[in-house]
Amino acid sequence: MSQRRGIHVDQSELLCTKGCGFYGNTAWQGLCSKCWREENQREKQRQIQEDWALAERLQREEEEAYATRHQRAQSQPAITPFNKFEERKTKEKSSKVNTVTKFFTPSTKTPPKKDTGAADAQSTPSSSSSASRQPIPHSDRATREFIDFLKSVKSGREIFKQCRAFTEDMVYKRDMGADELSEWVQDFYQNLSDRLQNQFKGSTEHVERVMDEVEKYMMTRLYTEVFCPETTDDEKKDLAIQKRIRDLHWVTIEMLCVPVDEEIPEVSDSVVKAITDIIEMDSKQVPKDKLACITRCSKHIFNAIKVSKKEAASADDFLPTLIYIVLKANPPRLQSNIQYITRFCNPSRLMTGEDGYYFTNLCCAVAFIEKLDGQSLNMSSEEFELYMSGQASPNWPRPTAASASSADGAALTQVHSSLDLLTGLGERQERVVEKARQLESDLIDWTDEVEQKVQSALESFPLDTQSTTTNAAGGTTTPAAAASSAIDSENVENELLPPPLQPQVFAG
């Protein structure tokens, strides 16, 4: 158990923290879809009540302020133009108060009316806009398959009209936040499911079939609008988890205590299939199809464990192996796919069944990878940081005295000596660069010093320069004056010349 202390997850931890018995989700703070929606509804209701109280308080303040101004106006002489102006001002203020009141009024019945009425009224332009943004072949095929399925369903025409109107209306909501889009879709799922339950007299299997087709039709048409929307940081999270997995490339199967023997051909084949399935998840558009890839991947993992251990796999063996598969696969857009499934999948599928169980384990595996540290792998934090920075690797064994005599030992010794030599060369290069920078700084200082001395000399001998110029112009320079001028020039030149540079020998 000490080897698994960083990976073991009790199965009760996968369930909703409210204790309802359904599977929870890390994106919903450990709650299931049902409890998360109820929590959100309570929070929104509380926010509406606070906003309503604020609106009432603002309205009372406006009324009190208006009453005060009205009393002051009555105490002053009446002026007809001003009274008309005050009357117009009063109407404007009352209009503003009514607008604020309406803004904060709960409007629980507004969205359904907008879905059924406004969407039908705008069906023609919405269809063209949606078609221009959606992949034509996938959208058309999904529409034909949905229509063919609904031909055998009672009130299928009405279901198709509602789904089409909703998807066309969703195109105009692309600028909304991802959580708001998710809430719209989940509300539509819930309302339609409740109506189908009443229609089919509690036939759960029939309702689930219809809801699966509804999800397939809607999300195929809305995929480009709601997958990794620009209003979220899903893409940033994708890049972060990809880099994290790349940095963890050194993690071995032994460190995770994975009970899988890849030397067995059947086990190796199951591992490859599991990696393929988890990567294929990104190519699917419907949440149900993405979940199917996760389920197939998980079943291949269970098969690999079963063949390796020659006994049935346990839940404690599954999670470490799933983490190992994710590390080896590094699936593209992993966080975006998880968020997409969480936001737009039929909630009942995530709350129960094998799809919900495997998806919850995948969320746990990703959370574990994000928080992975040395203690989770039974190593010191210093060793963990060395591996993460690339300064060391568990795949770089130090040669022993016995192996050094062999050819492999000699090769390893040569490799390590070469690495040590490269390290020494790097240090010498740093010292040379430092000396070169110092020399450059000295030359700059010397140049500044020479310029100052030249300027000082020119300022110290202005008369000699003028006398020499006059003598040269008049032609009356005597030999003694010329000799004296030459001696002075030589002294100045000797004073200005820098000392001879001594050769420097760099250490190393």
Side-chain angles (χ1 to χ4, degrees):
M1 291 297 293
S2 60
Q3 292 181 342
R4 297 182 183 275
R5 67 174 184 274
I7 301 178
H8 174 74
V9 175
D10 192 270
Q11 295 304 299
S12 61
E13 299 178 12
L14 302 178
L15 300 178
C16 177
T17 55
K18 288 287 187 179
C20 63
F22 297 122
Y23 291 120
N25 193 310
T26 55
W28 294 329
Q29 301 176 3
L31 301 175
C32 67
S33 174
K34 179 175 179 293
C35 295
W36 175 253
R37 286 170 54 80
E38 292 176 353
E39 192 71 21
N40 272 349
Q41 290 296 333
R42 284 194 293 269
E43 181 65 22
K44 288 184 178 180
Q45 188 64 29
R46 184 185 65 82
Q47 186 64 38
I48 289 174
Q49 292 176 357
E50 292 180 356
D51 294 342
W52 179 253
L54 175 62
E56 289 181 343
R57 182 172 63 84
L58 292 175
Q59 185 175 2
R60 286 196 302 270
E61 292 177 355
E62 285 286 342
E63 291 175 352
E64 292 173 359
Y66 169 72
T68 302
R69 288 193 300 268
H70 186 65
Q71 291 177 358
R72 292 178 181 175
Q74 289 180 348
S75 62
Q76 296 176 356
I79 303 177
T80 305
F82 182 78
N83 288 340
K84 291 183 178 181
F85 171 78
E86 189 70 21
E87 182 180 357
R88 186 169 64 253
K89 196 73 174 178
T90 302
K91 291 181 179 180
E92 292 178 358
K93 289 183 179 297
S94 61
S95 176
K96 290 181 180 179
V97 171
N98 292 333
T99 302
V100 173
T101 304
K102 292 179 181 179
F103 177 76
F104 289 107
T105 302
S107 56
T108 56
K109 296 183 179 181
T110 302
K113 292 182 179 180
K114 188 174 182 180
D115 286 342
T116 55
D120 290 336
Q122 299 174 348
S123 59
T124 303
S126 301
S127 177
S128 60
S129 175
S130 176
S132 64
R133 294 181 59 87
Q134 300 293 336
I136 301 295
H138 292 285
S139 180
D140 291 346
R141 184 170 64 250
T143 303
R144 289 195 300 269
E145 292 176 355
F146 189 48
I147 292 175
D148 293 338
F149 171 79
L150 292 177
K151 288 180 180 179
S152 59
V153 178
K154 184 180 179 181
S155 68
R157 183 185 296 274
E158 182 64 23
I159 294 175
F160 177 75
K161 287 182 178 180
Q162 293 177 358
C163 294
R164 183 181 63 181
F166 181 80
T167 54
E168 291 174 351
D169 190 39
M170 284 289 292
V171 174
Y172 294 99
K173 296 180 173 63
R174 64 173 66 97
D175 295 331
M176 294 175 60
D179 293 338
E180 294 177 329
L181 293 174
S182 173
E183 186 176 353
W184 277 80
V185 174
Q186 296 296 334
D187 286 342
F188 181 82
Y189 285 160
Q190 187 65 43
N191 294 332
L192 181 59
S193 177
D194 292 342
R195 289 198 296 268
L196 292 176
Q197 289 285 356
N198 296 330
Q199 179 178 340
F200 297 122
K201 307 300 181 182
S203 178
T204 306
E205 182 179 355
H206 200 173
V207 172
E208 289 181 354
R209 284 183 55 201
V210 175
M211 292 304 300
D212 288 344
E213 294 297 326
V214 168
E215 177 189 295
K216 179 181 178 181
Y217 166 74
M218 289 176 49
M219 301 319 300
T220 302
R221 291 174 59 89
L222 296 174
Y223 180 76
T224 57
E225 305 289 346
V226 299
F227 182 84
C228 191
E230 297 179 357
T231 56
T232 65
D233 59 348
D234 292 350
E235 185 176 0
K236 182 179 179 180
K237 292 180 179 179
D238 289 335
L239 297 176
I241 191 64
Q242 281 189 348
K243 183 180 183 302
R244 176 71 172 175
I245 293 176
R246 285 196 301 268
D247 292 341
L248 292 169
H249 68 277
W250 49 270
V251 177
T252 62
I253 197 172
E254 293 80 13
M255 293 179 180
L256 295 171
C257 303
V258 176
V260 169
D261 184 6
E262 293 188 85
E263 297 296 329
I264 303 175
E266 184 178 355
V267 173
S268 178
D269 184 59
S270 295
V271 169
V272 171
K273 289 180 179 178
I275 293 174
T276 303
D277 287 330
I278 197 70
I279 292 176
E280 186 182 0
M281 173 179 62
D282 186 59
S283 65
K284 304 299 182 181
Q285 293 187 344
V286 183
K288 179 185 176 183
D289 296 340
K290 291 182 181 291
L291 283 175
C293 292
I294 299 174
T295 300
R296 289 196 302 269
C297 168
S298 302
K299 290 183 176 180
H300 288 310
I301 290 175
F302 272 107
N303 182 67
I305 298 173
K306 180 180 179 181
V307 174
S308 299
K309 297 181 63 176
K310 296 181 174 57
E311 61 181 13
S314 64
D316 289 339
D317 297 327
F318 171 66
L319 182 58
T321 311
L322 178 60
I323 294 172
Y324 174 69
I325 294 297
V326 173
L327 290 176
K328 291 196 68 174
N330 198 356
R333 301 193 292 185
L334 180 57
Q335 288 285 7
S336 292
N337 282 286
I338 290 178
Q339 294 297 329
Y340 176 72
I341 294 172
T342 301
R343 293 166 182 156
F344 303 108
C345 183
N346 190 341
S348 62
R349 192 176 295 111
L350 297 182
M351 293 164 58
T352 58
E354 61 179 7
D355 287 346
Y357 173 76
Y358 294 139
F359 178 72
T360 303
N361 275 273
L362 177 62
C363 295
C364 292
V366 174
F368 177 83
I369 291 173
E370 292 176 337
K371 300 178 181 179
L372 186 64
D373 56 9
Q375 184 179 3
S376 303
L377 300 176
N378 299 321
M379 64 176 62
S380 64
S381 58
E382 293 79 9
E383 187 179 6
F384 180 81
E385 292 300 330
L386 285 176
Y387 291 157
M388 290 294 291
S389 62
Q391 299 179 18
S393 172
N395 300 321
W396 293 353
R398 288 288 178 179
T400 61
S403 62
S405 59
S406 63
D408 293 339
L412 288 175
T413 302
Q414 182 64 29
V415 168
H416 288 291
S417 63
S418 299
L419 290 175
D420 295 337
L421 179 61
L422 287 174
T423 303
L425 289 175
E427 295 176 355
R428 291 177 61 184
Q429 183 181 9
E430 291 179 359
R431 290 197 297 269
V432 169
V433 171
E434 183 179 358
K435 291 290 186 181
R437 290 175 179 172
Q438 182 63 37
L439 179 59
E440 181 182 7
S441 177
D442 293 341
L443 288 174
I444 293 174
D445 294 340
W446 175 79
T447 303
D448 295 339
E449 184 179 358
V450 169
E451 290 179 355
Q452 292 177 1
K453 288 185 176 182
V454 170
Q455 185 65 26
S456 177
L458 292 176
E459 293 176 356
S460 301
F461 304 99
L463 297 178
D464 294 344
T465 304
Q466 183 177 4
S467 176
T468 303
T469 305
T470 304
N471 292 336
T476 60
T477 304
T478 62
S484 177
S485 178
I487 292 173
D488 293 340
S489 298
E490 184 177 359
N491 292 335
V492 173
E493 182 178 359
N494 292 333
E495 183 180 0
L496 295 178
L497 284 177
L501 294 175
Q502 297 295 332
Q504 297 183 7
V505 180
F506 296 107

